[in-house]
Amino acid sequence: MVNKQRTPRNNGSVWAPAHIQTLMRYAIALGVKGAAFRFAEALARGLRDVVIVLLEPLEYFQATTLAEGIAASHTLQEIDRFLKQASNGRRNLANTAVFDVRVFLTAQMRTRMTPQEVATFEERSFAVFQQMVEELNPAVVLTCQCATANARNELVRLLSSTFPPAPDLGYVQICGRRVPVLRAFHPAMYKEQRIQQWAGPDREKQEQCRKILTTLLMELFWEAFHMDNIDDAAGWRKRRLLEQFRRLRLNKAPSKSQGSKPG
């Protein structure tokens, strides 16, 4: 059912690139509120070289501006920070495209749907995402989500990462071009609850774990903007970090709930 909400407008500008027009048409079809559309548009706008793929970046807060969204979201704060560091301050969320792979379909919305409705809307959402990617036609895709490995949509399925991520560069076909894919992970993976899961209750190991994961993400963001400079050393650095993470998980202390059982 389409909600009767105010039609979204395009941030006051007359012209919008094709992928923003696609986002707008889908927002109108779903009856998405103006503020929600404007924030999704602000995230999706950016230069055409790199697109970052996230899962439901609008889920946990309601924002009307990009600045409000960044202030409310740990994920967006981290991505903004990595963008700035990876580009020597030239890039940020204001000039880098971020697409939600599940366009305008949040977990809260899915709780109000039947399983069949969820499947139908999800496929529609994935189709809109694919169209936006093709219209942006980026040079590099950096995917920071691991939730769509079983999607029927081939592009969406190929843009699902894993955790820990695979260190090797992947590729997808976009508009007949072979486009490199950097498979990263969601910044929520090193928030407090997750860190305890990976490193156990020991604070020192938690900080070691957080440093490993943030350094790994920084490496992946750097590669997104320096594809011509990637060499064997870059792969070695990622493999070394992944091995450090693996060893830390193997050697983590048991939590209180585990008693003396091995972690």
Side-chain angles (χ1 to χ4, degrees), residues 8-9 22 30 60 168 191 195 202 218 252:
R9 297 185 180 275
T22 295
L30 294 181
Y60 299 109
D168 298 323
K191 291 185 74 174
I195 285 292
D202 184 273
M218 184 66 248
K252 73 176 182 180

Side-chain angles (χ1 to χ4, degrees), residues 51-55 99 101 129-130 133-134 138 140-149 151 153-162 170-174 179-184:
V51 64
I52 297 173
V53 180
L54 281 178
L55 181 71
F99 289 2
V101 69
F129 167 81
Q130 177 172 347
V133 170
E134 291 172 348
V140 180
V141 179
L142 175 62
T143 182
C144 298
Q145 63 88 24
C146 311
T148 59
N153 183 296
E154 183 180 14
L155 178 65
V156 170
R157 189 168 63 249
L158 291 173
L159 294 183
S160 184
S161 185
T162 58
Y171 293 90
V172 293
Q173 290 288 325
I174 299 176
V179 176
V181 177
L182 292 161
R183 294 187 174 92

Side-chain angles (χ1 to χ4, degrees), residues 6 11 16 45 50 54 73 76 86-87 119 127 133 147 150 160 174 206 209 214 220 251-253 256 258:
R6 184 174 58 186
N11 272 356
R45 281 187 176 272
V50 175
L54 281 178
S73 167
L76 295 182
S87 65
V133 170
N150 296 320
S160 184
I174 299 176
Q206 289 177 15
C209 184
T214 54
L220 289 159
N251 296 324
K252 73 176 182 180
K256 292 180 179 180
Q258 292 174 313

Side-chain angles (χ1 to χ4, degrees), residues 169 182 219-220 222-224 226-235 237-238:
L169 193 65
L182 292 161
E219 183 73 30
L220 289 159
W222 184 90
E223 288 183 4
H226 302 85
M227 292 299 297
D228 292 340
N229 296 322
I230 295 178
D231 54 17
D232 292 342
R237 288 192 297 270
K238 287 186 291 186

Side-chain angles (χ1 to χ4, degrees), residues 16-43:
H19 72 282
I20 297 296
Q21 294 181 36
T22 295
L23 183 70
M24 183 186 298
R25 286 193 295 270
Y26 193 50
I28 292 171
L30 294 181
V32 173
K33 293 181 180 180
F37 167 76
R38 286 194 297 274
F39 185 50
E41 179 197 7
L43 283 176

